[in-house]
Amino acid sequence: MSLFVHKYGGTSMGSIERIQNVARRVAKWHAAGHKVVVVPSAMSGETNRLLGLAHELSNQPDGRELDMLSATGEQASSALLAMALQALGVPARSYTGWQVPVKTDSSYTRARIRSIDQAKIRADLDMGKVVVVTGFQGVDDELNITTLGRGGSDTSAVAIAAVLEATECLIYTDVDGVYTTDPRIVSSARRLKVLSFEEMLEMASLGSKVLQIRAVEFAGKYQVPVRVLSSLTEPDIALQDEMASGTLITFEEDHKMESAIVSGIAFSRDEAKMTLLAVPDTPGVAYSILGPVAAANIDVDMIVQNQSVEGMTDFSFTVNRNDAERTYELLKTQVAPAVGAGDVVADDHVCKVSIVGIGMRSHVGVASLMFRTLSEENINIQMISTSEIKTSVVINDKYMELAVRALHKAFELDQEYNQAVGQAIEKSVNNSTNN
Ligand code: ADP
Ligand code: ASP
Ligand code: MG
């Protein structure tokens, strides 16, 4: 008998029929003698609906009230799931974040989990109950309801699995695992049976919304085995088959010995590029530009400072698209006058496309195959950033899908890895290095 945490996303909870299917699936695990904690998201569309209502009232609704509002989506779906389980004769009980409690800091709309009290959950599990805990939410020290950011139910589930030392945290969703890239963009994308934790971390942080980045961070910190799998299969399929399905995020790198150089492609439209023109190129200029940006709590991603000509340079960086307006105002009204720069240009028609793979560590020239592929499609690269296991480029967002498809093909991600394909890519990588 083992303890499992199941997380079901919005689509999986999207209708009464789907909730009944979730209940049947959970009942199967329970009947096999396992302890099960279920973490549901709100029914699909519900969080957007609630946030939409708030934005009808105000352009910048108060964070506390937003969380008070959006947390209700998960309260409703959790109660419905508990009822669906009870209707099947399975003893079940639901809890909101504050009832558990899941304690967080007070950063409304993007709170971080600090601790989870397991007493109530344990007691119910020991009585043979299935415990349903709302995803996405918690409570701060002053008993204000907080939420964990969009997609935050993933993080709730992994954090609960960590505290309970669950055998596995199963993330049930509307795809049957983690793919080489978003299967909605590239139909030939392939499911990965295993993916290393580091690669998943990069994929999530570079825009693959299949798992929230903080969920992956938690999994890494507490070594929680996480599996991403489909909630849309028949609920009654054999437990053994279900347990072996989907994508396992692994902490072992052994399987990588014979796997692809690039494992996946991530992309994100949540980008905006800011450029300060004609900045006097003096020591401390990066600090005088980015210091005020950091002080305003705006995250900066990529940074490029051009070669200076006659003591003047252009300085560009990217921020999250949600922060674009705020950043532009700050640069225009405060930073540019203070550093004696010329104009400020904001471009929110950019996106970031990244290739990710542990195999990049041991192969040179992977990035150049990426650049060659983009140049063959006539796509101009505006910014580049690299780390050991990823290369990202910023390009015009109208080319995003084209870039992702071309790269998916160039790295032959649609094909099961085999020696021959691997060698073909290595050859092409080597050729492009020699060019
Ligand atoms: P849920 O509501 O279950 O949390 P999400 O919409 O948050 O589901 O995440 C699942 C979606 O993530 C898929 O439908 C898919 O379009 C998208 N996605 C993006 N990148 C990937 C990827 N590499 N592999 C699988 N799915 C991906
Ligand atoms: N319901 C929340 C959202 O839509 C949390 C989640 O689904 O993970 O972002
Ligand atoms: Mg999600």
Side-chain angles (χ1 to χ4, degrees):
M1 182 167 103
S2 306
L3 194 161
F4 290 91
V5 173
H6 286 199
K7 180 260 170 175
Y8 292 91
T11 311
S12 316
M13 296 291 293
S15 64
I16 289 299
E17 200 192 339
R18 291 238 165 112
I19 292 176
Q20 285 170 321
N21 279 344
V22 168
R24 279 168 63 198
R25 192 180 300 280
V26 172
K28 173 180 74 184
W29 285 75
H30 183 257
H34 297 302
K35 293 185 171 178
V36 190
V37 177
V38 191
V39 179
S41 289
M43 294 171 77
S44 59
E46 179 63 3
T47 310
N48 285 344
R49 187 184 74 85
L50 293 167
L51 295 176
L53 292 175
H55 284 97
E56 278 182 43
L57 289 169
S58 157
N59 280 338
Q60 280 190 312
D62 178 61
R64 180 182 183 282
E65 303 311 326
L66 267 182
D67 282 358
M68 189 73 180
L69 176 69
S70 59
T72 61
E74 272 71 10
Q75 180 169 342
S77 62
S78 295
L80 289 169
L81 179 58
M83 289 175 203
L85 283 161
Q86 288 164 2
L88 295 177
V90 178
R93 193 150 199 217
S94 69
Y95 293 99
T96 60
W98 66 264
Q99 286 175 315
V100 170
V102 175
K103 288 258 184 93
T104 71
D105 64 19
S106 305
S107 316
Y108 298 119
T109 74
R110 51 174 186 180
R112 282 180 183 270
I113 295 177
R114 283 189 174 149
S115 66
I116 297 176
D117 187 337
Q118 47 173 312
K120 288 200 186 83
I121 302 177
R122 285 270 178 215
D124 283 342
L125 288 174
D126 289 344
M127 283 190 286
K129 288 182 186 158
V130 168
V131 183
V132 183
V133 178
T134 50
F136 183 51
Q137 58 184 272
V139 64
D140 74 3
D141 286 342
E142 281 75 49
L143 303 185
N144 300 300
I145 289 173
T146 55
T147 67
L148 310 179
R150 298 309 304 267
S153 298
D154 296 334
T155 303
S156 307
V158 177
I160 289 170
V163 167
L164 297 173
E165 296 179 27
T167 302
E168 220 171 74
C169 181
L170 299 152
I171 308 280
Y172 288 90
T173 183
D174 56 5
V175 276
D176 63 354
V178 180
Y179 278 63
T180 46
T181 192
D182 190 340
R184 284 184 215 210
I185 301 288
V186 181
S187 58
S188 61
R190 205 167 37 81
R191 178 171 63 86
L192 300 159
K193 292 193 190 80
V194 283
L195 185 64
S196 75
F197 157 73
E198 282 175 284
E199 287 167 315
M200 190 65 240
L201 195 64
E202 287 285 6
M203 293 276 282
S205 82
L206 296 168
S208 297
K209 293 192 171 129
V210 61
L211 280 180
Q212 201 201 33
I213 171 87
R214 284 188 188 164
V216 188
E217 286 168 357
F218 254 104
K221 191 162 173 195
Y222 299 100
Q223 302 278 298
V224 182
V226 172
R227 184 180 296 275
V228 177
L229 70 172
S230 174
S231 70
L232 304 177
T233 54
E234 271 303 309
D236 310 322
I237 61 167
L239 196 64
Q240 287 312 318
D241 293 343
E242 191 167 309
M243 280 178 155
S245 68
T247 301
L248 180 68
I249 313 300
T250 165
F251 299 97
E252 290 162 24
E253 284 188 19
D254 291 2
H255 73 282
K256 279 285 143 196
M257 298 294 286
E258 45 162 5
S259 76
I261 300 173
V262 169
S263 297
I265 299 175
F267 51 84
S268 157
R269 280 185 206 277
D270 303 335
E271 315 285 324
K273 187 173 89 168
M274 302 289 151
T275 304
L276 269 96
L277 300 169
V279 183
D281 192 10
T282 50
V285 69
Y287 176 66
S288 41
I289 295 170
L290 297 177
V293 174
N297 229 334
I298 297 168
D299 277 339
V300 169
D301 183 12
M302 286 194 212
I303 303 167
V304 169
Q305 181 178 343
N306 286 344
Q307 177 71 31
S308 69
V309 178
E310 289 168 12
M312 296 293 219
T313 183
D314 296 340
F315 191 97
S316 301
F317 58 93
T318 59
V319 296
N320 191 291
R321 205 172 278 191
N322 291 332
D323 289 326
E325 253 182 67
R326 220 152 58 86
T327 314
Y328 179 77
E329 283 306 311
L330 179 72
L331 293 177
K332 188 89 185 160
T333 59
Q334 292 175 41
V335 177
V339 299
D343 212 359
V344 181
V345 183
D347 181 359
D348 62 2
H349 286 289
V350 293
C351 68
K352 181 165 67 175
V353 175
S354 310
I355 55 173
V356 174
I358 276 188
M360 289 167 74
R361 272 191 191 134
S362 46
H363 289 86
V364 291
V366 181
S368 60
L369 176 57
M370 180 187 202
F371 304 151
R372 191 177 75 196
T373 306
L374 296 176
S375 82
E376 281 166 3
E377 299 293 340
N378 266 322
I379 299 172
N380 186 39
I381 299 172
Q382 302 179 20
M383 296 170 126
I384 299 171
S385 102
T386 63
S387 77
E388 231 188 352
I389 66 163
K390 70 118 205 276
T391 301
S392 302
V393 295
V394 169
I395 59 174
N396 188 311
D397 66 354
K398 74 177 173 212
Y399 299 124
M400 189 182 83
E401 297 191 4
L402 174 64
V404 173
R405 291 204 184 98
L407 291 168
H408 198 266
K409 191 147 184 278
F411 286 98
E412 308 206 25
L413 289 178
D414 47 353
Q415 297 179 31
E416 195 73 46
Y417 179 83
N418 67 46
Q419 217 66 35
V421 173
Q423 279 163 5
I425 294 184
E426 278 183 42
K427 217 167 105 196
S428 132
V429 162
N430 288 337
N431 283 344
S432 58
T433 331
N434 298 336
N435 283 344

